[in-house]
Amino acid sequence: MYSFDFEKPSTVADAVAALGAEDAQALGGGQTLIPTLKQRLAAPSKLVSLSGIAEMQGVCVEDDGSLSIGGATTHATVAREAAATYPALAALAGQIGDPAVRNRGTIGGSVANNDPAACYPAGVLGSAATIVTNTRQIAADAFFEGMFTTALEEGEIITSIRFPVPQVASYQKFLQPASRFALVGVYLARFADGVRVTVTGASEDGVFRWSEAEEALNKEFRPDALMDLRINPANMIADLHGSKAYRAHLVSVMTKRAVEACM
Amino acid sequence: MKITMTVNGKAVSGDVEGRTLLSGFLREHLSLTGTHVGCDTAQCGACLVHVNGEAVKSCNMLAAEADGADVGTIEGQANADGSLNAIQQAFQDHHGLQCGFCTPGMVMSAAALLKENPRPTEAEIRKYLEGNLCRCTGYHNIVKAIMAASGQDVSSIAAE
Amino acid sequence: MPKDSGIGASSKRREDVRFLTGAGNYTDDINVHGQAYVHFLRSDIAHGRIKSVDTSAAEAMPGVVRVFTGKDFEGVGGMPCGWEVTDKHGAPMQEPPHPILAQGKVRHVGDPIAAIVADSLEQARDAAEAIDLDIEELPAVIDMKAAAQDDATLVHDDLKNNICYDWQLGETDDAKVDEVFANAAHVTTLDLVNNRLVANPMEPRVAVGEYKRGTDEYTLFTTSQNPHVIRLLMCAFVLGLPEHKVRVVAPDVGGGFGTKIFHYAEEAFCTFAAKACGRPVKWTSSRSEAFMSDAHGRDHVSKIELALDADNNFIGLRTNTYANLGAYLSTFSSSVPTWLHGTLMAGNYKTPVIQVNVKAMFTNTVPVDAYRGAGRPEATFQLERVVDKAARELGLDPIALRRQNFVTQFPYDTPVALTYDTGDYNGTMDKLEAAADLAGFAARKAESEANGKLRGLGINCYIEACGIAPSNIVGMLGARAGLYDAATVRVNATGSISVMVGAHSHGQGHETAFPQVVADMIGIDESMIEIVHGDTSKIPFGMGTYGSRSLAVCGSAMVKATEKVIEKAKKIAAHLLEASEADIELKDGQFSVAGTDKSVAWGDVTLTAYVPHNYPLEVEPGLEETAFYDPANFTFPAGAYACEVEVDPDTGQVSIEKFTAADDFGNIINPMIVDGQVHGGIGQGIGQALLENCAYDENGQLLSASYMDYAMPRADDVPFYGVDHSSQTPCTHNPLGVKGCGEAGAIGSPPAVVNAVLDALNSGGKAVDHIDMPVSPSRVWAAMNS
């Protein structure tokens, strides 16, 4: 690791101020950032830990029934505390990494990083969640801009994410056997006004909505509705662990399983 | 910067850089070399310790982040009289270790598991150990040892 | 009744206590006062010509002690290869130099170009970034068949081509082999790949070099399976140092699996640099560095053909293999695809005509050497896959076809240079059929199918040659070392015993199992015996631990030394008891005169040896004996494995539902440890079969360069294993009748897994002949849908 300064503010305002320094970077749980630093692939002048900010911690149900999760809330906390209100999202959080990683990794860190194979982006986009930052609110549909790219400005912090709770939802994750990120992960959420289907792990462009599947399921919410649907393999990722065609196939299988799980 | 924490019940402090990892602080500043480093991508779990009672990969956490924390390492696991605790004893009784390198992380992980799930099933144990790699045992006797440590009868499980 | 101590007892491991309490002493736990740290600047391209390496800016960086490049090592030797293979035309293998730091060219991603020694590791890394490299990139030689072409780019410019050797074993008359195949009633042919693996012991490699100017003595602490071999190679071939001035210590070592046998450049570097810098020098590999600097394993591409007569007897076998050696010859790399592979091609079968052909290739990849099983898994995989395919093609029961062709008469001379001393392959198969409940398979299959899964059963047999090895034989075959081992039994005055052994324990439990043997021989408690290993200054000599040899070879030396001790102790006892030496019996730690009630205790005799007041004049005081043991033959563990898998037809995901191993290891000292060895081997074999794949792209970039892409088996990838070791035909030529158990699981399991997957697919109506390992979901799905 290159040398850097470390700061651990206790308020969002202080964190924003600290991030004003040149090449300062926010530190969530560090479960991706620290390995990156070890490889010397990043050289921040200062890391600003968000783990000491009480207002960014925890899971709570808002008056409108939506679930608000503080940006610095760990995956383990979400898995535990969202289980009653939003079981599918809690289940997703409980499938990220491994127990020790879940005790450190945070929702804000994961969503801000937007790894193309991460789980949370599928849950956030699939839930039509709202990303709340220190300056604004961003709809999930406008947030994810391609792999490792988001609508966040420099120094902008995800303070919380607000999830409308669907009638029913399911996350189906097919493991990449080495990293145990998603080789393909499909999040399906059924709201009163329609179904959302999001896919992670599969595309060069990061998380995306599979609109054809959404349309088909809006017409008829059962596994067979997907029968003739195939996703175009052209934009899929091809690597050691699966070809484009295989990933495209898995998108269909995982989506069908998500529907079955919601029946 | 100066940090202080409690490690295995004792107050400790040290001067660290921002980039000092918790694993480095334990191993190099405190000479607690039972915590091992087996990878650099947070997969192997040999460095697993407890921070405020939770399992954490110490090579993937800055020492500064543990300032003020209560940290538990393998060196603090034995009973007060120095004898092996129930998990350690089960690992010895059921040959749950060979080269011993992953073992501190396995024991710490098992302790965290049994704290939240005192009688885990075989499948729950295997799932929980997702972040702990062992290259020697094929996991058979590790899983068996954890089942035994949780008071379950393992006599019907094949082999020693 | 299981015994509770001595030979045959599952004694709990005494070494566990230190490992379980964080009190182990691994090499990275060792810090020497004043040490500096080295960082190796490694090539990020596969092949290139070094035009210049400018270190001047780096040398001026803070904390930098010294920067080394290949030029600093022009006066010393390169890394040696310990085995000279002679090709089929009688010529020695091509043996290119392997410098400590790259000279002239870089030849693989990870090839070290410069070494920066600094006060801290981060300072060394900072300085590495200031080194100005001018390297002209050359085309990478990656594909082995392309590398063998006449117009291929040369990995080593001074060699005539990229073929290290073109080797043959077995029938030399091609026409005779052709005739066997022409006359066959059936021929089964299979093309297959034995996937490249990375051994991945959980402890990365570490080296700490120290030099004492006052006494001109060096100490190297290193993560090695064989410290004496490292000292010998480093002193005699690399640095030209006198062995008596060099101490090599391998303390607690966190797993080896073969990859810590070899003498590595980093070890020689740290030893050399400690003197050159006037400070101890420490290197700790990161896992990412390990992927590009630890020797890899396997990586064979083979075509195998099996000829059967009309009665389904195996009548001929021919294999053609390309074996990847990587960019340089690692210590034992040349022996792996040849004498450790070709010689095992007979397997458990009495095939009369066998021809094995191996072309060993240089490529721009990390050197490839022994990994758990070393050559024997590659042989077994080919043979057992082709036998399985033959059974399917002929509509035969795969177990019946195997049984029909088993060797049943011993000793048996194979057509590929070995003599199996003993075995009972049908008996072991009987054990497997019972232990694996093969009779219940149909019901389990029906249950899986009811859950929408395909279920398959895979059978595999294996034999391996262990207890490596008779020195005179391996010498004839090209080994540049003897493969005996040594032990010193030092009896202390109070009767406790230190046994200094040349074998090194890095998970095998020698500290527990070896004392069980000595305790039994003398009749004293195991706790009175301590094993000392891993330090050249403390033990007489030793060739180390690999090839399932520790107990069979070093254990035999320990038995011989203990026998000498007992012989001498009997002389002392005879004197004390005023009896004839011939009448002295040793039992339960008591020397007694046969037929009388006169006796003297072990401890009284040992005390007398060191306080020789009342003592036989012709006997030297003291009680310490050393023995060297050179085995008369290899040992031949053998076994039969059964694997049951479920395949998810939607995704191609394979899960191991049941795995059973029946092994014949001869006599067993500690059943608990033996079972554990088999578990671990099976875990690694399942890893190879389903998960692990070390892959390069066409430019020689390592695609699986960390645990993010190299899939290690985890606890939820494997089931509980059934193991049965009740089939026991003791080795006929070593004193304990033991054969070795360390590699069996890794040899026997990959074909069982792949055979099971193919059985699942074929019985599920998908005609699939073969899937290369790892049998990943994507490959299974592709095979099902091709």
Side-chain angles (χ1 to χ4, degrees):
Chain A
M1 281 187 270
Y2 295 110
S3 184
F4 53 78
D5 294 331
F6 176 83
E7 207 168 318
K8 191 169 179 177
S10 54
T11 66
V12 171
D14 287 350
V16 170
L19 284 167
E22 198 175 345
D23 294 328
Q25 195 172 343
L27 172 66
Q31 302 304 285
T32 300
L33 180 56
I34 291 175
T36 308
L37 294 171
K38 287 183 194 171
Q39 299 291 332
R40 295 192 160 206
L41 296 174
S45 64
K46 181 200 286 185
L47 286 190
V48 180
S49 168
L50 305 179
S51 65
I53 302 172
E55 60 195 290
M56 285 176 61
Q57 295 284 350
V59 177
C60 68
V61 182
E62 301 285 343
D63 293 342
D64 63 358
S66 67
L67 193 71
S68 179
I69 301 176
T73 310
T74 64
H75 309 323
T77 303
V78 175
R80 210 165 41 234
E81 296 184 8
T85 345
Y86 193 170
L89 189 72
L92 174 150
Q95 291 177 61
I96 299 170
D98 58 60
V101 165
R102 292 195 285 275
N103 284 334
R104 291 293 302 161
T106 65
I107 187 168
S110 171
V111 171
N113 189 49
N114 193 20
D115 187 300
C119 298
Y120 259 133
V124 170
L125 186 61
S127 305
T130 301
I131 292 92
V132 181
T133 76
N134 54 307
T135 59
R136 56 183 171 146
Q137 303 193 357
I138 311 167
D141 282 312
F143 183 83
F144 299 104
E145 298 182 341
M147 64 162 74
F148 298 113
T149 313
T150 69
L152 288 175
E153 302 287 342
E154 203 152 311
E156 192 173 3
I157 299 170
I158 297 176
T159 53
S160 68
I161 299 179
R162 225 169 37 235
F163 292 85
V165 179
Q167 296 165 335
V168 63
S170 171
Y171 179 57
Q172 296 291 326
K173 179 179 180 181
F174 193 86
L175 296 176
Q176 195 264 46
S179 68
R180 299 225 164 173
F181 275 66
L183 188 70
V184 166
V186 171
Y187 198 87
L188 185 152
R190 187 179 195 190
F191 292 91
D193 60 351
V195 173
R196 288 172 75 97
V197 177
T198 55
V199 180
T200 188
S203 169
E204 300 277 7
D205 297 327
V207 65
F208 67 95
R209 285 175 68 180
W210 188 14
S211 46
E212 292 87 347
E214 292 178 356
E215 283 164 28
L217 291 168
N218 278 330
K219 279 186 205 140
E220 196 181 11
F221 193 81
R222 49 192 204 93
D224 288 353
L226 300 166
M227 235 169 32
D228 299 322
L229 272 189
R230 294 286 176 275
I231 200 158
N232 183 357
N235 287 337
M236 299 283 110
I237 296 169
D239 62 14
L240 264 185
H241 308 288
S243 62
K244 288 170 182 277
Y246 182 60
R247 277 192 169 79
H249 168 73
L250 281 183
V251 172
S252 297
V253 174
M254 294 297 117
T255 307
K256 183 164 162 266
R257 288 183 179 178
V259 178
E260 284 164 353
C262 289
M263 298 297 281
Chain B
M1 74 188 78
K2 183 146 192 269
I3 57 170
T4 60
M5 63 183 85
T6 305
V7 176
N8 300 328
K10 285 188 202 127
V12 299
S13 62
D15 226 352
V16 300
E17 291 186 273
R19 62 184 166 180
T20 304
L21 296 166
L22 179 56
S23 54
F25 182 67
L26 294 170
R27 289 181 55 80
E28 283 145 37
H29 292 245
L30 304 182
S31 297
L32 293 172
T33 54
T35 296
H36 296 152
V37 177
C39 79
D40 42 19
T41 51
Q43 258 113 2
C44 85
C47 67
L48 196 140
V49 300
H50 298 163
V51 176
N52 296 327
E54 291 187 331
V56 163
K57 292 184 169 175
S58 65
C59 87
N60 219 26
M61 178 176 185
L62 299 177
E65 285 276 57
D67 189 21
D70 182 9
V71 175
T73 74
I74 189 68
E75 287 90 348
Q77 290 295 295
N79 298 322
D81 65 356
S83 61
L84 300 180
N85 75 12
I87 295 170
Q88 292 168 317
Q89 189 60 57
F91 269 69
Q92 186 186 32
D93 289 347
H94 298 282
H95 191 26
L97 64 153
Q98 291 182 25
C99 81
F101 196 80
C102 77
T103 307
M106 285 289 177
V107 169
M108 298 306 284
S109 198
L113 166 63
L114 296 186
K115 192 174 127 196
E116 69 180 58
N117 182 358
R119 259 182 106 80
T121 63
E122 179 200 343
E124 286 168 343
I125 294 168
R126 290 186 185 279
K127 186 67 191 161
Y128 193 88
L129 294 180
E130 190 168 19
N132 291 86
L133 298 178
C134 169
R135 195 56 154 166
C136 292
T137 63
Y139 301 102
H140 182 111
N141 285 335
I142 291 175
V143 176
K144 189 174 170 182
I146 296 173
M147 292 180 82
S150 69
Q152 303 184 60
D153 180 8
V154 295
S155 58
S156 62
I157 295 168
E160 285 294 331
Chain C
M1 270 296 284
K3 293 180 63 178
D4 58 8
S5 72
I7 291 174
S10 287
S11 299
K12 305 298 174 220
R13 295 200 333 165
R14 55 178 79 184
E15 49 269 69
D16 289 358
V17 176
R18 67 176 188 270
F19 297 142
L20 282 162
T21 54
N25 182 37
Y26 299 86
T27 310
D28 193 42
D29 302 341
I30 294 170
N31 294 297
V32 184
H33 181 69
Q35 76 192 8
Y37 297 81
V38 59
H39 172 72
F40 291 95
L41 174 64
R42 297 180 183 276
S43 178
D44 59 5
I45 60 169
H47 196 192
R49 196 171 310 284
I50 301 171
K51 301 188 128 171
S52 70
V53 182
D54 181 354
T55 61
S56 51
E59 281 159 18
M61 298 275 287
V64 171
V65 176
R66 194 170 154 184
V67 181
F68 296 82
T69 68
K71 283 194 169 40
D72 293 293
F73 293 92
E74 282 171 354
V76 304
M79 308 311 296
C81 180
W83 202 299
E84 183 177 78
V85 169
T86 302
D87 83 0
K88 66 180 182 185
H89 306 296
M93 67 185 188
Q94 299 200 83
E95 196 170 357
H98 181 184
I100 291 175
L101 296 174
Q103 292 171 355
K105 276 167 76 165
V106 290
R107 293 186 177 86
H108 65 86
V109 169
D111 207 357
I113 300 166
I116 305 91
V117 178
D119 291 338
S120 77
L121 179 59
E122 295 294 354
Q123 286 174 327
R125 291 181 73 182
D126 290 343
E129 293 178 8
I131 292 177
D132 190 15
L133 291 178
D134 183 2
I135 298 181
E136 175 198 352
E137 192 162 355
L138 300 169
V141 180
I142 302 299
D143 179 77
M144 285 193 281
K145 289 181 182 171
Q149 301 300 314
D150 288 341
D151 59 350
T153 301
L154 290 177
V155 176
H156 295 276
D157 299 350
D158 295 339
L159 302 189
K160 60 180 193 262
N161 53 32
N162 291 319
I163 304 171
C164 180
Y165 50 75
D166 183 357
W167 181 85
Q168 190 174 69
L169 183 67
E171 182 53 59
T172 55
D173 183 349
D174 291 348
K176 185 173 170 194
V177 180
D178 288 341
E179 191 187 332
V180 170
F181 277 84
N183 293 334
H186 184 82
V187 173
T188 296
T189 302
L190 191 55
D191 288 290
L192 44 76
V193 172
N194 202 290
N195 42 328
R196 180 183 278 242
L197 303 176
V198 182
N200 273 309
M202 293 319 303
E203 178 203 32
R205 288 190 296 118
V206 182
V208 185
E210 196 185 1
Y211 175 71
K212 290 207 164 65
R213 197 161 54 87
T215 51
D216 190 31
E217 286 175 325
Y218 298 81
T219 302
L220 171 67
F221 299 94
T222 182
T223 48
S224 176
Q225 301 175 216
N226 30 239
H228 273 99
V229 175
I230 302 306
R231 187 182 68 166
L232 174 62
L233 294 175
M234 185 169 76
C235 289
F237 300 101
V238 187
L239 299 180
L241 301 173
E243 274 177 281
H244 66 284
K245 289 292 191 184
V246 178
R247 174 185 173 208
V248 177
V249 183
D252 286 331
V253 172
F257 315 113
T259 205
K260 290 177 182 167
I261 297 171
F262 324 122
H263 181 32
Y264 284 98
E266 295 89 353
E267 295 171 317
F269 177 85
C270 287
T271 308
F272 179 90
K275 182 176 184 184
C277 297
R279 284 174 71 174
V281 174
K282 181 170 186 172
W283 173 70
T284 301
S285 175
S286 70
R287 181 61 59 185
S288 300
E289 196 173 12
F291 272 99
M292 55 179 162
S293 64
D294 288 4
H296 293 173
R298 315 279 193 260
D299 204 352
H300 286 191
V301 175
S302 300
K303 179 190 186 77
I304 181 163
E305 302 159 276
L306 176 67
L308 300 93
D309 69 13
D311 298 323
N312 305 321
N313 298 309
F314 301 163
I315 55 171
L317 185 76
R318 178 165 54 199
T319 73
N320 281 281
T321 289
Y322 286 87
N324 205 336
L325 296 177
Y328 302 101
L329 289 171
S330 174
T331 311
F332 287 113
S333 58
S334 51
S335 67
V336 175
T338 50
W339 298 107
L340 294 175
H341 163 253
T343 50
L344 274 301
M345 207 50 87
N348 308 54
Y349 311 111
K350 51 190 185 215
T351 313
V353 176
I354 299 177
Q355 187 186 69
V356 181
N357 299 286
V358 177
K359 280 193 176 72
M361 305 305 305
F362 291 113
T363 60
N364 291 118
T365 63
V366 170
V368 181
D369 206 324
Y371 165 60
R372 201 169 193 169
R376 291 153 290 176
E378 294 90 318
T380 304
F381 187 71
Q382 290 181 67
L383 181 60
E384 292 294 316
R385 285 288 303 115
V386 81
V387 167
D388 219 63
K389 187 179 178 206
R392 185 166 299 115
E393 287 174 350
L394 293 166
L396 299 170
D397 170 32
I399 294 179
L401 178 63
R402 286 175 167 89
R403 283 184 182 271
Q404 174 183 342
N405 287 282
F406 276 160
V407 172
T408 52
Q409 301 290 319
F410 297 90
Y412 174 76
D413 291 326
T414 74
V416 278
L418 294 178
T419 301
Y420 300 165
D421 62 335
T422 184
D424 178 8
Y425 308 147
N426 275 305
T428 309
M429 183 62 87
D430 292 343
K431 299 284 188 189
L432 178 75
E433 292 201 34
D437 180 29
L438 295 189
F441 173 70
R444 294 190 291 273
K445 183 176 171 71
E447 196 178 324
S448 295
E449 284 170 355
N451 292 323
K453 300 286 174 62
L454 306 173
R455 193 175 186 113
L457 170 65
I459 297 293
N460 180 61
C461 294
Y462 76 89
I463 185 163
E464 53 168 335
C466 294
I468 295 170
S471 297
N472 59 342
I473 295 179
V474 296
M476 282 190 296
L477 304 182
R480 290 163 168 164
L483 284 166
Y484 51 85
D485 223 292
T488 294
V489 175
R490 176 177 297 161
V491 183
N492 301 307
T494 54
S496 68
I497 300 174
S498 298
V499 186
M500 281 64 82
V501 294
H504 186 278
S505 187
H506 37 277
Q508 296 86 348
H510 298 171
E511 292 173 33
T512 299
F514 281 25
Q516 291 179 243
V517 174
V518 177
D520 245 22
M521 290 176 71
I522 300 173
I524 55 176
D525 195 81
E526 289 167 21
S527 64
M528 289 178 68
I529 300 149
E530 188 81 10
I531 297 299
V532 179
H533 64 96
D535 185 339
T536 60
S537 72
K538 292 183 178 169
I539 54 183
F541 199 78
M543 294 305 294
T545 289
Y546 42 83
S548 304
R549 69 191 299 277
S550 294
L551 191 62
V553 185
C554 188
S556 297
M558 180 179 70
V559 169
K560 297 280 182 196
T562 307
E563 284 170 353
K564 290 189 197 177
V565 161
I566 292 170
E567 192 184 321
K568 180 171 175 182
K570 280 183 173 175
K571 287 192 171 76
I572 302 167
H575 181 85
L576 292 174
L577 294 167
E578 297 173 335
S580 158
E581 188 191 329
D583 293 334
I584 301 294
E585 291 173 347
L586 172 61
K587 192 170 178 240
D588 297 335
Q590 293 285 327
F591 294 91
S592 57
V593 183
T596 75
D597 59 358
K598 284 168 64 179
S599 71
V600 58
W602 168 255
D604 292 326
V605 172
T606 62
L607 187 65
T608 305
Y610 287 89
V611 188
H613 298 162
N614 175 16
Y615 202 72
L617 286 176
E618 71 281 9
V619 178
E620 290 175 15
L623 196 50
E624 171 170 328
E625 298 289 347
T626 294
F628 282 64
Y629 178 82
D630 204 335
N633 189 1
F634 295 87
T635 62
F636 296 98
Y641 284 18
C643 176
E644 290 182 30
V645 299
E646 275 188 355
V647 179
D648 180 340
D650 293 336
T651 62
Q653 179 83 48
V654 175
S655 67
I656 311 273
E657 296 298 310
K658 189 171 168 65
F659 199 103
T660 313
D663 300 283
D664 175 359
F665 295 136
N667 294 333
I668 288 175
I669 306 302
N670 184 318
M672 175 191 81
I673 289 175
V674 169
D675 288 353
Q677 289 292 305
V678 174
H679 296 156
I682 294 170
Q684 290 184 8
I686 290 173
Q688 169 165 31
L690 293 185
L691 296 163
E692 297 177 41
N693 190 22
C694 180
Y696 283 91
D697 72 9
E698 67 277 12
N699 298 316
Q701 288 298 321
L702 187 54
L703 298 174
S704 44
S706 79
Y707 290 150
M708 294 297 281
D709 282 300
Y710 189 90
M712 291 280 280
R714 288 173 166 91
D716 62 356
D717 290 316
V718 295
F720 281 128
Y721 319 108
V723 293
D724 184 309
H725 297 142
S726 60
S727 180
Q728 294 183 0
T729 58
C731 170
T732 58
H733 55 79
N734 65 39
L736 292 167
V738 296
K739 295 182 176 177
C741 64
E743 295 156 297
I747 296 170
S749 52
V753 174
V754 177
N755 288 345
V757 172
L758 291 166
D759 181 55
L761 298 184
N762 281 280
S763 67
K766 308 277 185 188
V768 179
D769 274 344
H770 180 67
I771 303 174
D772 276 324
M773 300 186 291
V775 182
S776 62
S778 60
R779 286 181 176 176
V780 173
W781 177 78
M784 284 194 295
N785 292 281
S786 63

